[in-house]
Amino acid sequence: MQEERILVIDYGSQYTQLIARRVRENKTFCEVLQPDNIQNLENFNNVIGIILSGGPNSVSQNNEYDLPDQLFLKDIPVLGICFGMQLICKKFNSKIKKSSSSEYGKAKLKVKKNTEIFNGLSETFEVWMSHGDSVVSLPDNFSEIASTNSESISAVKLNDKEVYGIQFHPEVTHTLDDGKIISNFIHRICDSKGLWTTKNIIDSQIIKIKDTVKSDNVILGLSGGVDSSVAAAILHEAVKENLTCIFIDNGLLRLNEKEQVQDGFKDFKNIKIIYVDASKVFLERLEGITEPEEKRKIIGKTFIDVFQTESKKIKNAKWLAQGTIYPDVIESAAASDKAHLIKSHHNVGGLPENMELKILEPLRELFKDEVRKLGLELGINKKLINRHPFPGPGLAVRILGEVRQDYADILRQADNIFIQLLHEKDLYDKISQAFTVFMPVKSVGVTGDGRSYGNVVSLRAVKTIDFMTAKPFEFPFNFLEEVSTRIINEVPEISRVCLDISSKPPATIEWE
Ligand code: XMP
């Protein structure tokens, strides 16, 4: 099915995944690769275009990323963005100047020459710049096709080939091109057939799963999150009753989690979901533990123990399906390269190799938004699909210090009120992630005529694209007052509601 693909070479730009998503939005499959792959292009079949990303490096100071001759000998179109354009220009001996000040932010671009890449765009439009080095003059075989008000060259084309460089970032929405630049590259220049559609993805995945699994049994750890739910849905479609999903209640789930999962899959005939209430063992093992990493480790280990016990009950199980998605794959590939930049998550789903099960990852090539579309197309209900992410260790990262059953119960109630109100006031879908955090401290309150001491909770709501950086969501004040009043009135153990307005970085989204 992936007859045609675009390769996105990642030089470390914060926008690389965004470039890849923009390509996919244009119904074209793409892969994000580390720079060394460009030296061995023969390893990749059916490549219809190559995009070189931006990055934090400077071509004037760094030779590590020199482009190979063979990149330009083939007739594959190339688009270099920012650092990518400078790499192309450097390869062809253009003059590049290390600027004393960077060009950053909005700029007015003036198109100087008609080319396919700017097809359908007006002569001037606003673009988003972010660069230090500048290309200041070009060799004869190159044309300058656009510039901003500044002195440097903003877009170039190799005269006799479909090789383009643009200094600004067409992948971000601050560039007001209506998505045309990337679309022009993919459709007009690379001639994509546009076959990467939800229906095609599902059809080809089903064939692939059937061919791989044959009549073996498959097990899957279902968490209620989007990824494992969609993996379950597509596997069910492919192998029907040979799939068994195991849903483990670790005592750290949100209110009514099990019911929400049941509801999400209500249209799936005969899907086998085994619900295991293991909350007792999890909470017992967490007793007295306050150190965050230790809490995570205990939860991870306990999950493995419980999962192993349950999976042994399923006869002839040869496959373990996991909801790994493409950003996980890219990040682990990049992590070996730039480990310091990557945040590692201690996912509870990690299972030991001695389980002797072969791994099946049907969503390995998909971004989250594609996974969501697939889920809807496969018939999972919208509410489950559009839920905010929920971390593997669950409420353990939202209860500071020791995790206790009573704390988890109080937090569940408060969080449920917050989330319900977000739905009622149509705010839920405007927020990337919202939840409540429990603090094991007591603060004074007045109830009736007496003083009382109750716990403190904090509301957290953020907006983010990639969860690597995040901004606090700006609530209308009357909404906050309503949440606070309702939590304090309806959850007697709570005397005070706070709001977390920290950005990430330096704060994280979860409190741990
Ligand atoms: P932080 O707190 O690091 O979280 O800013 C970023 C995003 O990751 C989620 N998160 C996790 N997800 N397993 C997960 O599956 C984990 O152990 C885990 N820890 C944090 C967090 O909810 C947020 O969306």
Side-chain angles (χ1 to χ4, degrees):
M1 147 67 198
Q2 287 137 27
E3 297 143 0
E4 29 175 55
R5 69 187 66 212
I6 299 245
L7 304 182
V8 178
I9 311 296
D10 178 15
Y11 291 100
S13 165
Q14 56 176 325
Y15 301 131
T16 303
Q17 286 197 28
L18 201 53
I19 299 173
R21 279 172 49 195
R22 296 281 176 256
V23 176
R24 303 270 188 106
E25 281 163 16
N26 278 283
K27 300 190 173 59
T28 307
F29 179 69
C30 69
E31 275 181 274
V32 176
L33 300 174
Q34 291 304 296
D36 50 341
N37 287 290
I38 206 162
Q39 309 295 339
N40 303 300
L41 285 174
E42 64 283 357
N43 293 346
F44 300 91
N45 295 326
N46 307 320
V47 177
I48 59 164
I50 295 172
I51 300 180
L52 312 175
S53 86
N57 292 294
S58 157
V59 285
S60 42
Q61 286 167 354
N62 184 314
N63 286 323
E64 188 192 339
Y65 296 129
D66 273 348
L67 300 173
D69 293 345
Q70 58 152 335
L71 178 64
F72 304 96
L73 297 176
K74 299 178 188 275
D75 272 331
I76 301 176
V78 179
L79 170 63
I81 295 175
C82 196
F83 180 71
M85 155 163 154
Q86 291 168 11
L87 280 176
I88 296 173
C89 290
K90 185 181 168 203
K91 175 79 189 167
F92 289 90
N93 301 318
S94 310
K95 197 161 159 215
I96 297 170
K97 197 175 84 191
K98 174 110 197 84
S99 317
S100 48
S101 61
S102 319
E103 190 180 14
Y104 184 81
K106 288 177 187 170
K108 264 259 173 306
L109 187 85
K110 191 165 181 337
V111 176
K112 291 184 142 181
K113 194 170 173 188
N114 271 343
T115 53
E116 288 293 340
I117 199 93
F118 295 133
N119 188 282
L121 284 159
S122 52
E123 203 183 318
T124 58
F125 60 95
E126 202 167 279
V127 299
W128 184 257
M129 285 286 188
S130 168
H131 64 111
D133 290 355
S134 299
V135 178
V136 287
S137 76
L138 295 170
D140 289 347
N141 53 344
F142 264 89
S143 302
E144 176 181 359
I145 58 174
S147 69
T148 60
N149 297 330
S150 85
E151 288 153 21
S152 62
I153 294 168
S154 309
V156 300
K157 180 180 182 307
L158 188 56
N159 290 339
D160 53 353
K161 281 201 180 281
E162 295 297 351
V163 173
Y164 295 83
I166 48 183
Q167 187 55 73
F168 56 91
H169 289 276
E171 68 276 23
V172 303
T173 46
H174 310 312
T175 290
L176 304 181
D177 71 331
D178 215 10
K180 286 204 174 81
I181 294 176
I182 290 185
S183 161
N184 284 339
F185 181 69
I186 292 165
H187 297 294
R188 304 184 74 90
I189 299 169
C190 301
D191 254 340
S192 164
K193 295 195 193 81
L195 292 174
W196 184 252
T197 62
T198 308
K199 182 162 183 327
N200 283 345
I201 299 170
I202 293 176
D203 291 348
S204 68
Q205 270 306 328
I206 289 176
I207 295 171
K208 211 156 133 188
I209 295 168
K210 281 183 173 163
D211 284 352
T212 316
V213 171
K214 306 209 165 62
S215 59
D216 296 340
N217 279 346
V218 182
I219 49 179
L220 174 140
L222 185 63
S223 70
V226 176
D227 305 341
S228 68
S229 299
V230 176
I234 196 155
L235 276 153
H236 178 251
E237 199 66 38
V239 306
K240 301 287 179 208
E241 63 281 359
N242 288 356
L243 170 72
T244 306
C245 304
I246 302 175
F247 177 91
I248 296 173
D249 182 349
N250 57 8
L252 302 164
L253 303 177
R254 292 164 285 192
L255 200 71
N256 306 326
E257 190 94 50
K258 179 178 162 189
E259 290 72 18
Q260 296 210 24
V261 171
Q262 278 171 332
D263 196 44
F265 283 94
K266 69 177 185 311
D267 295 332
F268 286 69
K269 285 206 183 70
N270 305 329
I271 187 163
K272 270 192 249 166
I273 305 178
I274 298 174
Y275 293 91
V276 184
D277 181 1
S279 46
K280 200 158 161 273
V281 54
F282 276 92
L283 291 170
E284 267 170 17
R285 289 189 189 178
L286 284 167
E287 224 176 278
I289 310 294
T290 53
E291 211 274 312
E293 276 301 303
E294 205 182 339
K295 291 189 330 195
R296 279 178 175 273
K297 282 194 186 118
I298 291 172
I299 295 166
K301 159 103 184 43
T302 311
F303 182 88
I304 291 168
D305 293 347
V306 176
F307 195 88
Q308 269 184 315
T309 310
E310 291 306 316
S311 58
K312 278 189 192 132
K313 297 178 187 165
I314 296 150
K315 295 204 179 74
N316 191 27
K318 296 259 166 57
W319 296 91
L320 175 69
Q322 292 187 329
T324 315
I325 65 170
Y326 199 42
D328 308 333
V329 177
I330 304 174
E331 276 163 30
S332 50
S336 54
D337 227 35
K338 348 180 180 80
H340 60 290
L341 293 177
I342 305 298
K343 179 181 173 355
S344 73
H345 279 319
H346 312 255
N347 259 324
V348 176
L351 291 164
E353 283 163 14
N354 65 8
M355 283 191 74
E356 289 171 6
L357 294 168
K358 287 178 271 183
I359 301 288
L360 200 61
E361 296 175 318
L363 311 177
R364 223 187 129 74
E365 287 176 334
L366 306 180
F367 283 106
K368 194 91 174 181
D369 42 350
E370 295 173 313
V371 170
R372 286 205 162 96
K373 279 190 205 148
L374 231 70
L376 291 174
E377 178 96 13
L378 285 159
I380 303 177
N381 90 12
K382 204 166 158 198
K383 212 164 164 198
L384 191 66
I385 288 295
N386 289 335
R387 281 213 296 180
H388 295 167
F390 185 64
L395 299 186
V397 292
R398 296 177 182 173
I399 295 172
L400 301 190
E402 186 186 3
V403 179
R404 291 182 7 189
Q405 168 88 49
D406 54 341
Y407 291 172
D409 289 338
I410 296 168
L411 178 55
R412 265 189 276 270
Q413 289 180 58
D415 188 61
N416 187 50
I417 294 169
F418 181 32
I419 301 298
Q420 289 308 324
L421 275 170
L422 289 176
H423 280 298
E424 270 173 41
K425 309 287 178 192
D426 282 334
L427 292 171
Y428 189 85
D429 293 333
K430 300 191 172 99
I431 295 170
S432 313
Q433 193 172 14
F435 53 88
T436 313
V437 178
F438 181 89
M439 282 173 260
V441 291
K442 295 237 169 170
S443 163
V444 72
V446 192
T447 27
D449 292 333
R451 284 159 82 79
S452 64
Y453 287 93
N455 283 114
V456 182
V457 291
S458 174
L459 309 177
R460 178 77 161 140
V462 293
K463 275 191 80 80
T464 170
I465 293 179
D466 55 8
F467 293 88
M468 300 282 193
T469 60
K471 287 226 166 289
F473 182 75
E474 285 182 44
F475 283 109
F477 191 73
N478 55 359
F479 173 82
L480 292 171
E481 254 185 326
E482 190 174 345
V483 182
S484 157
T485 309
R486 279 205 43 198
I487 291 180
I488 292 173
N489 283 348
E490 293 170 37
V491 190
E493 294 85 353
I494 294 174
S495 66
R496 215 168 275 267
V497 175
C498 304
L499 174 69
D500 178 0
I501 50 163
S502 355
S503 290
K504 174 183 179 175
T508 51
I509 297 175
E510 302 290 348
W511 280 38
E512 299 270 355

